[in-house]
């Protein structure tokens, strides 16, 4: 069994701020997806940008779910 930290993650969305990230997190977890989020850093990143990541194996399904939710 793989540990949580060894799981391959894929970014499926860039949230614009903490409020939007929390809303997306609630939607994804409510639908049964494992997810994590990371604040972006670097010259091109805005301070409020947050990466939303899901397991690689669920990335396409999670993207479709967010699209169905209007994101």
């Amino acid at each position: 069994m793989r540990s949580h930290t060894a799981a391959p993650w894929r970014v499926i969305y860039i949230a614009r701020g903490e409020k939007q990230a929390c809303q997306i997190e609630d939607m994804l977890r409510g639908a049964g997806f494992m997810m994590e989020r990371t604040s972006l850093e670097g010259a091109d990143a805005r301070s409020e940008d947050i990466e939303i990541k899901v397991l690689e194996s669920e990335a396409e399904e999670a993207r479709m779910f967010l699209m169905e939710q209007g994101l």
Side-chain angles (χ1 to χ4, degrees):
M1 179 184 234
R2 292 182 184 178
S3 70
H4 177 71
T5 57
W9 297 96
R10 177 177 286 184
V11 175
I12 62 163
Y13 198 87
I14 305 286
R16 303 294 180 215
E18 184 68 24
K19 182 178 178 181
Q20 186 183 37
C22 287
Q23 290 171 337
I24 293 169
E25 180 177 14
D26 289 344
M27 279 191 263
L28 289 171
R29 291 195 186 207
F33 294 103
M34 285 184 63
M35 56 92 41
E36 68 177 28
R37 57 187 176 149
T38 308
S39 294
L40 291 175
E41 297 178 8
D44 294 336
R46 298 183 329 184
S47 62
E48 65 270 10
D49 290 348
I50 300 170
E51 290 181 332
I52 305 296
K53 301 176 189 178
V54 298
L55 293 174
E56 178 87 29
S57 61
E58 298 179 336
E60 190 61 34
E61 185 179 353
R63 272 192 225 119
M64 292 300 293
F65 172 77
L66 290 180
M67 285 176 42
E68 290 169 359
Q69 303 305 308
L71 296 172

